[in-house]
Every structure is written in C-alpha cells, then in structure tokens.
Amino acid sequence: MSPSRRPVAIVGAGSLEGREILEGLAARGWEKEEIVALGEKLGGWELDVEDEGAEVFLPLQEEYLAPCEAVFLCARDPGAGDFVRAWAASNDVALFDLTCPPGSPGGLWNPSRSEEPAQARGGPLAFPEPESSFLATLLGGLAPEQVARLDCFLLQPSSIRGEPGVRELLRQSTDLLNFRPVSTEAFGLRLAFSLVPGGGGTE
C-alpha cells in the first residue's frame, strides 16, 4: 500500500458500476489491498457466483469502512445507502454516490473535470446519468443559433433501478392494458415501452 494514501471502499462491488470502478482503480495503479470491496446490503458476507468462479465481498459494516478515505456507493439497497451516507457525513469522508436519482440534493460532479467541489468531503457527490453527460458534451459544441429545438430520447433497461424497476415496468404495462392510472414509484416517470434486444448481432 502506498504510504501517502488510505484505502477506498466500494459498496456494491459486485454491481456493474462497482466492477468498472474496481477495474479503473487497478488500471491507475491501486493495489488490491488498497481497495475494500463490500457487499451491497447491511449485515453478513456476500458471495457473487459467476461462470468463471466466485467472489466474496466483505460485509457492509463500520469496522471495514473505518480506514477508508473515500467511498464509492453503488448499492441501490435503501438501508445500505442511508447507512453509508450517514457514516460518510459523520466521518468527513468523500462519498461518490452513483445511486442518486436526477434532481437529488448534493454536489453534482462532472467526472470529465479534474477539480473536486468544495462539498466533496462529508457530503455526497452525485453523478449525472452517463448518457446525459455525453449528450451535454456533444451539444456543448453547437452554438445556440445553430439549433432551435432538440428532442432527445434516452433508452435504458428498467433493471437500471434493480428489481423495483422491473416490477414497475410490469405494473405499468398491466395498468395501461387495464386503463388504470400508471404507477411511477421507481422511475418517477411513465415508461414509454419495453425494448428487448435480439441476440446474434450488433444491430
């Protein structure tokens, strides 16, 4: 471990975002012992089983967070999120929250810029949806007089909100077919349709 830095924690290390952060840190020279890979729920140990093997994540407990100087929150479990946010705030630790829905309070950090906002320590840094960030960067190259209006459509899997998102898609589909008001608890929006990609190509 480098003597000049303390370890960082990834809560929900088995998620897609958590795995990307693990790979990114490793590519930037972070050693395995400098990264604390935690499960995404409070309590016991978690086992992630895949075709090529299994991986064990430490339980989400304060004793494993204590030595860390920063936390990446990838777990969408409400209890885990509340616990990590409260712990980071009381310990003056930088919290990079990848679970904040759009419009949430907290610092909105543009990862393409190098400077860190003043509210980084002890408060959450929310990230924009990657697609929105890329779109904003693309449109930033256009002068206001070049475009009068843009209609943008973002296609995302309902599973991006986990099981609640998948269940909401089912509820919305059922509500629409039965002419009932559509529930919008997980997304805050009515889902337009469900797109299922076919295999065997990149179309």
Side-chain angles (χ1 to χ4, degrees), residues 37 68 113 134 149 180:
C68 300
R113 296 181 180 174
F134 296 148
R149 172 177 170 172
R180 294 193 300 253

Coordinates of all heavy atoms in Angstrom, one line a residue, residues 37 68 113 134 149 180:
A37 N -13.6 -4.0 -1.0 CA -14.8 -4.4 -1.8 C -15.8 -4.9 -0.8 O -15.7 -6.0 -0.2 CB -14.4 -5.5 -2.8
C68 N -11.0 3.8 5.5 CA -11.1 4.4 4.2 C -11.3 5.9 4.1 O -11.9 6.5 5.0 CB -12.3 3.7 3.4 SG -12.2 1.9 3.3
R113 N -14.1 16.5 -15.5 CA -13.3 17.6 -15.0 C -12.4 17.2 -13.8 O -12.9 16.3 -13.1 CB -14.2 18.8 -14.5 CG -14.9 19.4 -15.7 CD -15.8 20.6 -15.2 NE -16.5 21.2 -16.3 CZ -17.4 22.1 -16.2 NH1 -17.7 22.6 -15.0 NH2 -18.1 22.6 -17.2
F134 N -22.7 12.7 -21.7 CA -22.2 12.6 -23.0 C -23.0 13.5 -24.0 O -22.4 14.2 -24.8 CB -22.2 11.2 -23.6 CG -21.3 10.3 -22.8 CD1 -21.7 8.9 -22.6 CD2 -20.2 10.7 -22.2 CE1 -20.9 8.1 -21.9 CE2 -19.3 9.9 -21.5 CZ -19.7 8.5 -21.3
R149 N -34.4 23.6 -31.7 CA -35.0 22.7 -30.8 C -34.4 21.3 -31.0 O -34.1 20.9 -32.1 CB -36.5 22.7 -31.0 CG -37.2 21.6 -30.3 CD -38.7 21.6 -30.5 NE -39.4 20.4 -30.0 CZ -40.7 20.3 -29.9 NH1 -41.5 21.2 -30.3 NH2 -41.2 19.2 -29.4
R180 N -55.9 1.8 -16.1 CA -55.8 2.3 -14.8 C -54.7 3.3 -14.7 O -53.8 3.4 -15.6 CB -55.5 1.2 -13.8 CG -56.6 0.1 -13.6 CD -56.3 -0.8 -12.4 NE -55.1 -1.5 -12.5 CZ -55.0 -2.8 -12.7 NH1 -56.0 -3.5 -12.9 NH2 -53.8 -3.4 -12.8

